[in-house]
Amino acid sequence: MKKFIGKLMALCLVFTAICFTSVFSVYAADSESGSFTISVCPEAEGTELSIYYIADYKNAEYSLNNEFSSAKVDLNALKNSEDAGKAIDTLQKYILSNPSIKGVSAKVDSNGIAVFSNLDTQKAYLVVQTSN
């Protein structure tokens, strides 16, 4: 389970790096759900972030969910930060071109913290900034 949490944290870091330089934690222990905390500068207070469930993680492989299956991204083929950056760009453009895809939003508080709770530890998520 610790190995999976490490992979989940690395994937989340890569996906959020394009939006923020942030320090965050994923807490899951040995449970089926966890939380994702993003810490940015307090000046970002009020900024809205949205998290999107993009893929399942099963048998050591990522599989895009139905909403993202046409996004033409292979999360299993990411080898470096350049590949990850291209995948992030593709996924963000895909979200913008498909307004029917809904994420869960959170606002950055006065301490520069945004929290997403009750996340399934067997899924991959993308966090994007949705407003200033």
Side-chain angles (χ1 to χ4, degrees), residues 23-125:
V23 177
F24 64 89
S25 301
V26 175
Y27 297 99
D30 285 325
S31 67
E32 295 292 318
S33 67
S35 65
F36 182 64
T37 301
I38 298 174
S39 176
V40 296
C41 62
E43 291 77 21
E45 179 181 5
T47 300
E48 183 179 87
L49 305 175
S50 293
I51 191 166
Y52 297 87
Y53 151 55
I54 61 169
D56 293 300
Y57 183 76
K58 189 174 186 179
N59 299 323
E61 287 203 5
Y62 295 99
S63 174
L64 293 175
N65 69 24
N66 289 338
E67 286 186 315
F68 287 88
S69 61
S70 299
K72 298 182 181 165
V73 172
D74 183 358
L75 299 178
N76 299 299
L78 303 179
K79 303 231 183 300
N80 53 46
S81 60
E82 185 177 335
D83 291 347
K86 288 177 184 175
I88 292 166
D89 288 342
T90 300
L91 290 166
Q92 285 182 320
K93 288 175 186 172
Y94 187 80
I95 289 168
L96 289 174
S97 66
N98 292 281
S100 64
I101 298 175
K102 302 294 182 201
V104 175
S105 297
K107 289 200 181 241
V108 175
D109 67 17
S110 61
N111 295 313
I113 305 290
V115 178
F116 297 97
S117 300
N118 300 316
L119 302 176
D120 188 322
T121 59
Q122 298 299 309
K123 299 187 183 316
Y125 298 88

Side-chain angles (χ1 to χ4, degrees), residues 11-26:
L11 182 63
C12 290
L13 176 60
V14 168
F15 285 153
T16 57
I18 199 162
C19 300
F20 288 98
T21 302
S22 61
V23 177
F24 64 89
S25 301
V26 175

